[in-house]
């Protein structure tokens, strides 16, 4: 028994808030993360930390679900009383299709990362990535409404971030290697919002830095295990008060952020987005809006460093 207690107190921030062990009872509220593979997911670490911190009778588990088994797994989880689940690669499209109700965030971003199972048996789908990104900047004291924002990339993450910025009335410019994708993103989001999205040629984005308040990388450039291309952008034309952010968080200091620091610019790394996107699901499933504070950031950083 002593060894178990030692395991629990091993992480200093967890010891401060959760000096006991997780206990599963008949009443325990359940949620999890559906992915394939899912072993790399840090969501269980984060959610179980919050459950312990707030003394909630709940548990959050990894749910490895193979491609093709998503629908049967989701209906099974719902039938078994789960409160809901996060959804990650490769199931994001299937999550969109299985929902009975799409939250506006899912429609605007064209993606889903959070499912909430209602007591009436319905499935509601949300995308929390964009709002998580904005919240992570606001938590660092960045006023995103100062805009305009220059977004690099036009994949699913770019659309989620762009949608949340546009919904706050912030002007967005998009630059992507494949121009057709930036145009498609601009069309998808401009149709619904009042603020138009402008498209910038990928070859020109460093020249177009003047006039932007925030630069955000949503491409996989610079990501551990991402493209081999060397990413050493020339930020010499960036305004002195520009804030630079990257949704890539492995490594934490990406090539873009390193270049920005060298240029004397303020940077916000991608870890905060992951922490903040987790909040909405937690709140829906377990009834508490959890705080993203220095303790959970330290827990996350320690896990990344392992
Ligand atoms: P996600 O949904 O996570 O955003 P994605 O749809 O695969 O992922 O998008 C990856 C982004 O990284 C895209 O904007 C992609 O550009 P393309 O649309 O031109 O493919 C961008 N990207 C990936 N490798 C790149 C590279 N070597 N140079 C520039 N952009 C790259």
């Amino acid at each position: 028994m002593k060894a178990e207690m030692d395991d629990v107190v091993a992480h200093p921030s967890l010891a401060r808030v959760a000096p006991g062990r997780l206990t599963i009872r008949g009443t325990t509220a359940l949620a999890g993360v559906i992915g394939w593979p899912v072993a790399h997911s840090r969501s269980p670490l984060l959610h179980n930390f919050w459950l312990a911190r707030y003394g909630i009778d709940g548990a959050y588990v990894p749910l490895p679900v193979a491609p093709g088994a998503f629908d049967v797994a989701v209906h099974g989880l719902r039938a078994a009383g789960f409160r809901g689940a996060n959804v990650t690669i490769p199931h994001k499209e299937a999550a969109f299709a299985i929902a009975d109700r799409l939250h506006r965030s899912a429609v605007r971003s064209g993606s889903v990362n959070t499912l909430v199972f209602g007591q009436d048996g319905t499935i509601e789908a949300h995308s929390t990535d964009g709002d998580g990104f904005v919240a992570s900047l606001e938590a660092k004291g960045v006023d995103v409404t100062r805009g305009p924002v220059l977004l690099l990339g036009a994949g699913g993450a770019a659309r989620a971030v762009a949608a949340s910025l546009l919904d706050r009335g912030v002007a967005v410019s998009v630059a992507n290697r494949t121009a057709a994708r930036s145009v498609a993103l601009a069309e998808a989001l401009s149709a619904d919002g009042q603020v138009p999205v402008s498209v910038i040629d990928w070859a020109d984005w460093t020249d177009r830095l003047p006039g932007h308040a925030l630069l955000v990388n949503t491409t996989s450039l610079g990501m551990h295990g991402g493209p081999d291309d060397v990413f050493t952008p020339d930020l010499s034309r960036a305004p002195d008060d520009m804030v630079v952010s990257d949704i890539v968080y492995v490594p934490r200091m990406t090539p873009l952020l390193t270049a920005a620091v060298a240029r004397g610019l303020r940077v916000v790394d991608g870890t905060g987005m992951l922490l903040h996107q987790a909040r909405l699901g937690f709140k829906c499933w377990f009834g508490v809006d959890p705080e993203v504070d220095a303790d959970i950031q330290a827990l996350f950083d320690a896990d990344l460093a392992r």
Side-chain angles (χ1 to χ4, degrees), residues 71-281:
D71 285 17
V72 78
V74 167
H75 290 304
L77 291 168
R78 193 190 49 163
F82 269 60
R83 301 280 176 92
N86 284 125
V87 180
T88 186
I89 291 167
H91 299 303
K92 292 197 166 194
E93 281 176 21
F96 205 94
I98 206 171
D100 297 303
R101 278 193 308 277
L102 293 171
H103 186 261
R104 178 181 156 83
S105 59
V107 177
R108 289 280 282 157
S109 67
S111 63
V112 165
N113 70 346
T114 303
L115 296 176
V116 180
F117 304 155
Q119 285 181 345
D120 57 356
T122 56
I123 302 172
E124 189 171 281
H126 298 249
S127 169
T128 66
D129 285 335
D131 284 354
F133 172 77
V134 171
S136 74
L137 287 175
E138 288 172 345
K140 299 284 181 195
V142 176
D143 177 12
V144 293
T145 60
R146 211 161 57 85
V149 176
L150 175 50
L151 214 54
L152 306 180
R159 181 164 162 184
V161 168
S164 289
L165 290 167
L166 292 165
D167 286 351
R168 286 165 176 77
V170 182
V172 174
S173 314
V174 179
N176 190 54
R177 177 181 61 177
T178 307
R181 288 186 89 192
S182 343
V183 172
L185 186 155
E187 281 173 0
L189 291 175
S190 300
D192 191 27
Q194 285 80 39
V195 191
V197 178
S198 46
V199 173
I200 288 178
D201 280 348
W202 180 248
D204 295 344
W205 74 261
T206 54
D207 292 336
R208 301 287 298 275
L209 286 166
H212 290 96
L214 178 63
L215 171 67
V216 186
N217 177 47
T218 72
T219 76
S220 45
L221 283 168
M223 186 172 76
H224 180 76
D228 289 335
D229 305 49
V230 178
F231 190 42
T232 46
D234 172 11
L235 301 182
S236 57
R237 305 205 64 201
D240 289 343
D241 58 354
M242 177 174 249
V243 177
V244 180
S245 184
D246 203 323
I247 69 162
V248 171
Y249 60 89
V250 181
R252 198 168 168 175
M253 275 309 283
T254 62
L256 177 67
L257 298 186
T258 305
V261 169
R263 164 71 182 77
L265 303 176
R266 181 154 176 226
V267 301
V268 178
D269 70 47
T271 57
M273 176 178 176
L274 193 90
L275 297 171
H276 281 275
Q277 64 78 29
R279 279 177 47 207
L280 180 94

